[in-house]
Amino acid sequence: MDASTRTKSRSKKPQYSRFTQQELPAWKPILTPKWIITSFVIIAILFTPTGLLCLWASERVVEIIDRYDDDCLPDSYSTDPDSFIQSNNTNKTCVRTLKVPRKMSAPIFIYYQLDNFYQNHRRYVKSRSDKQLRDPDEADETEDCKPINGNDDGPIVPCGLVAWSLFNDTYKFFKGNKAIDIDKKDIAWESDKKYKFGSNVYPKNFQKWELIGGGALDESKPLSEQEDLIVWMKTAALPTFRKLYGKINTDLEANETITVVIQNNYNTYVFGGEKKVALSTANWIGGKNDFFGISFLTIGGVCFFVAINFILLYVLKPRPLGDPSYLSWNRNQGAQ
Amino acid sequence: MAGGRIRARLKRSSLYTFGCIRPPPRESIDEPRQFQGPGFSRHVCCNQPGFHRKKPLKYCTNYISTTKYNVITFLPKALFEQFRRVANLYFLLAAALSLTPVSPFSPYSMIAPLIFVVGLSMAKEAVENWHRFMQDMKVNMRKVLVHSGDGVFVRKPWMKLEVGDVVKVEKDEFFPADLLFLSSSYEDGICYVETMNLDGETNLKVKRSLEVTLPLDDDASFKDFKATIKCEDPNPNLYTFVGNFEYDRQTYPLDPSQILLRDSKLRNTGHVYGVVIFSGHDSKVMQNATKPPSKRSTIEKQMDKIIYVLFTLLVLISLISSIGFAVKTKYQMPNWWYIPADDQGLYDPNKPSLSGFSHLITALILYGYLIPISLYVSIELVKVLQALFINQDIHMYDEETCTPAQARTSNLNEELGMVDTILSDKTGTLTCNQMDFLKCSIAGIPYGTRSSEVELAAASQMAMDLDESSRIGARSGPEIELEVVPKGVSCQNRIKGFSFEDNRLMNGNWVQEPNKDVILLFFRILALCHTAIPELNEETGMYNYEAESPDEGAFLVAAREFGFEYCKRTQSSIFVRERHIPSQEPIEREFKLLNILDFTSKRKRMSVIVQDETGQILLLCKGADSIIFDRLSKNGRLYEEATKKHLNEYAEAGLRTLAFAYRKLDISEYSSWNGEFSKAKTSIGGERDTMLEHLSDIMEKDLILVGATAVEDKLQQGVPQCIDKLAQAGLKLWVLTGDKMETAINIGFACSLLRQGMKQIRITTNVDHTSNMGIKENILMQITNASRMINLEKDPHAAFALIIDGKALTYALEDDLKHQFLDLAIECASVICCRVSPKQKALVTRLVKEGTGKTTLAIGDGANDVGMIQEADIGVGISGVEGMQAVMASDFAIAQFRFLERLLVVHGHWCYKRIAQMICYFFYKNIAFGLTLFYFEAFTGFSGQSVYDDWYMLLFNVVLTSLPVISLGVFEQDVSSEICLQFPALYQQGPRNLFFDWYRIFGWMGNGLYCSLIVFFLNIIIFYDQAFRSNGQTADMAVVGTVMFTCVIYSVNCQIALTMSHFTWIQHFLIGSSIITWYIFLILYGMLSPSLSGNVYQIFLEALSPAPIYWLSTLLVTVACNLPYLAHISFQRSFNPMDHHVIQEIKYYKKDVEDRHMWRREKSKARQDTKIGFSARVDAKIRHHLKFKLQKKSSPRAVSEPTPS
């Protein structure tokens, strides 16, 4: 009895292990001045060239941007752009000339850029049916698309505000009189084409409703081939955004003049948005992005500055590491 | 058993002079009391428990339960507890609203984390409740002998007891319920009861059964026993009882001396029989138990305030959002042809206020990420793990009682690091309630070479300090560790109660001493002057003694060891086996016991009058030194001076002293006195006691001093060292004890709470009654005088000690006096309250807690400490002792007082810092994340769209950032445990709250704000409108969201790496895995079918990972986010280091090994300016020496100064 209770109570003794005794071997780094200076200098050394590299890459990108929404509005309609854009009878063709500042080598990407267009508005973003886009059997899944969901004729495919407001300005590029081919293939993400937009889903009832929003779709082509739609359906994060329109697969030489023939269909006048067409090359950093390089340089510079300051202060007021005179009880004594 | 029967023959009552005499029957009060009606309805049918199984006599069973929940109430009650937290309630509301169209998130992303978090908390509650249940069951399953009919007693668990059961309780067992005492193994029906668990008093109490139940003294006699008890209803009053006992058609009144209370213990008595009157929760001790208050730590209370700050922020930005939304909807939305108004009013330009209002709800849900949903559950988890470490700490495991430390509630861990005042019980906590005979002074010669623990502790400290001062400037060569001072304690052949070591007296050597006659007398006083009963231990052949107080036991053991073995006591004689030379056979001598003049706290002495074999009558007296010295005869003062000196030394060494004296009596003188004394003894009425006292007084005079004894009230192991360390850590210690003032002061000395040279302020009610000033005014005057004295004191080293007794305390605790009392007490270095009741202990605790606003810790071991333990911010119970009440009521249970040092200085310090840093970080990370949502709103026309996928947000708090912060909360150590103990001053970081003040909290919040700005705006500008890859695609919302989220994950995880200073493989693993988990999640989520992953489908593998700008911006933003913090800690550490920084560096560079002198010097300096503990005592001694030297030096200089130059 006694022995059993003793073994029982002995089992209450905590087992020794480095874990339970909180004595696991540990790395206890200390921010010594050496470490501080090294780390700041390393960041500075790492960031400055990276910044320069990014700036250089950004510098190599050639970009032409042309805002045309105002200029493509005939003067006679300048007070009432709405009636111009909404009328079916007005001539919406508009010709712009662009000058190539530096040599642009293929591929040259063509973008349209909209401003003050809330593609990220919650009501707008939600107004789509991904199921319907993928599978012809789920064409009736239009609950989220109201009010652009369909009527007695059947559901709209693709339904919802996003598809409905499809951008429908068109661009044609000419070098002199010779048209430049615009490659509209592969402007959308591969995964979208393959998995999100069905190759057997065809537009139905689209833009046939009383209210017509943006562009129409070719009902003979499956959605997976409607790359303009696919690009448009990838909603942008900010109210100012650019979307890929196509690619030019020939080089453009410096100082060449290019004519753009625009069909100015899309209504941005009513909400005061701008429309731009942009031609840009791209390299590993993407499009033109000076800010990125500058940020790197700034951080590098700040680190360098901090390091210098630290060294100066440290020279002026060095503190030997582990100097016990800095312990609070010693300092208080000094104060007394 | 044989011994028991012998003792049973002996009528104990006749042994005692007046303490124990059964008063002659007084007809007047033997009348059964007439009572009826409310309050006195209890009806107990003795030996017929069957009657109590149905109404109306059905009383509650003896099953006790202290659990919070049972199976049925668990769910509703625990849920209610969970949603009492305002944050959880908010999340519940948000989850409910997420089912409506206003929600910005899908419902599962709101409900899943809530269920997870609440579920985890509830699981923790369930586990804790289970432990409590198991503990109850341990008590409920204790066995006791119960009468099962036909005079047979069987063992049954306590919980099966019913009212009316007859139980037989054996020696040293606890009473299972409140019993009516029927009979005992003593013929005259008395028994001894230890009530330490109830009121903390250590002396045994005598209980007396009714005369009429005395014959019921064996098992068989209960065969046909039937009686009825009618008595008061259950109530918490321990000292009253009113009832009638109806037996044999007679009614007898009952009073408290027939009641044996649950949780008190039978001592010195073979067995008793009793009837259960109050069982289970009806018993007085359970009625006394108050509901354990739910305690919350200071940090948690402050955290609530932060949550309110965040809620304010949340409401504010939600208001901004909804106003922005309403304005946008009213003025701009009509122009947005691509967003037509909807019919539900959520987006209706014609009803902007309605839209704005519904958007307010949306925003309140959306920005909920500012409030860390997982904060509570993470903290709870961390605390449970911390508690596990406390339980597992091998250094807090007591080998003797086999008890580990136990954190009974885990939610106060960090409070351990903020304690300011400790309120401690004495008996059982500081002392073992065991006396050791250590020294004596006989005929003016001191004997006993062993030092007391206090002396040892002070000596070792002194040795270290002297060594230190002599070493200054000396070469730092290989040094000898001097910290281990050889201790004179040889642990072999230790005899309990006897630590005396001196060859001059031992082994019969005393016969060679010059004063051997006096020594012989001294030993005889030791062996004769007492009221104990010997008991032969048949195994060893030695006698054990059952004494009323442990001092007496120690004296008898000492006498035995000196060769005067007290072996037998009869009605009229005491037998002592004397063996003057070890080789000799002992001679049994008989001393006729003529009278015993009992000990009372008022008399402070006791005497016996004996007649030895030669017919000589002697009065042998022992008592408090001051009393004895007053009563010495002129020729009895031979050794007075020397003895006084020794007594002072003993007191300084923390020993309990008594002086011994004797007087030779003539037969004629004695017999005339005895005649009066016997008359007085048999007299009736209130005069009796006074008369007896007066007669004793006459007899105890003209004494001749023999010597003095010094008994060590054995402190618990390591108590002086622990008190010293705690004092160095800046903690204040108050001792609250039920003991006498003298005892308390002795212990004060033993614990170094008091020392010579300290000014003792004693506040008592011992006022001369002639003055017509009220007691209260008198106490007020004492307090104000003392305060004035302290204010006038110039010496910065002067220390004051406040000693107050219970009666004075009753007045001092009244509303109009308590603040003055508290102010005085705070000024004093140590405070000792004696003779305090359990209630007063709690009141004092409350006064300190509320009066100073600082954290208090109460530590105790008995039921009398329960109130104090529950009242204090932290209650610590001493476990491993028999009673469980203190432990049951406590938040932490440790086996020894000395473990308190480690509990506070190591675990408290760590837990405080861990929790403080953890909470700060939590708020940082949620602000850093939550505010990015708000900024994005401004770019979406305040529409409530989130840039992140629902799953990202769901995982953020629960998976991606929770584990590193938990590892911070569980494993972080600024310095190792040894350093915590070596540098107790580090502890002050907690009570000063250096790591959780508003400055620091707002600093972290500011850091979070900065981080959110950087993450959001850098990324927005970088991914603005241009292509982000070489094949021309621009960033859509999913890309921007994913990049931003990656940056957030990196930033907060790097931030925690910067915050930590202690990386085991666990931290490395958790921080690393948090980041890797994010990528793994992103890949796996992206590989799910597009119907599940939506916009995130293939985003990482297809869109982001091939883009260099993605990786570079992660680097850029992470560095930019952490740069200010890095710079801050760099500069702070280098130019304004905190203590633990410097110590970390010393350790890092191994300076402690290279320069051990410095290391030891710092260790000894790293303490708060303390006025208690033996360090202070040593300091005082050194100062005294220095002053002495200075005076010597300066006096000749003073003479030389005025000489003209």
Side-chain angles (χ1 to χ4, degrees), chain A residues 185-203:
Chain A
K185 282 254 177 297
D186 295 334
I187 55 173
W189 295 102
E190 204 59 35
S191 62
D192 281 1
K193 285 192 282 179
K194 268 194 183 146
Y195 302 105
K196 286 197 189 160
F197 292 80
S199 55
N200 49 359
V201 182
Y202 294 90

Side-chain angles (χ1 to χ4, degrees), chain A residues 13 27 111 118 191 234 328, chain B residues 328 399 1032 1036 1063 1102 1139:
Chain A
K13 179 167 183 167
W27 178 55
Y111 301 94
Y118 286 88
S191 62
K234 271 240 184 264
S328 63
Chain B
K328 280 257 178 198
E399 294 281 351
D1036 63 7
F1063 294 83
E1102 189 187 22
D1139 291 340

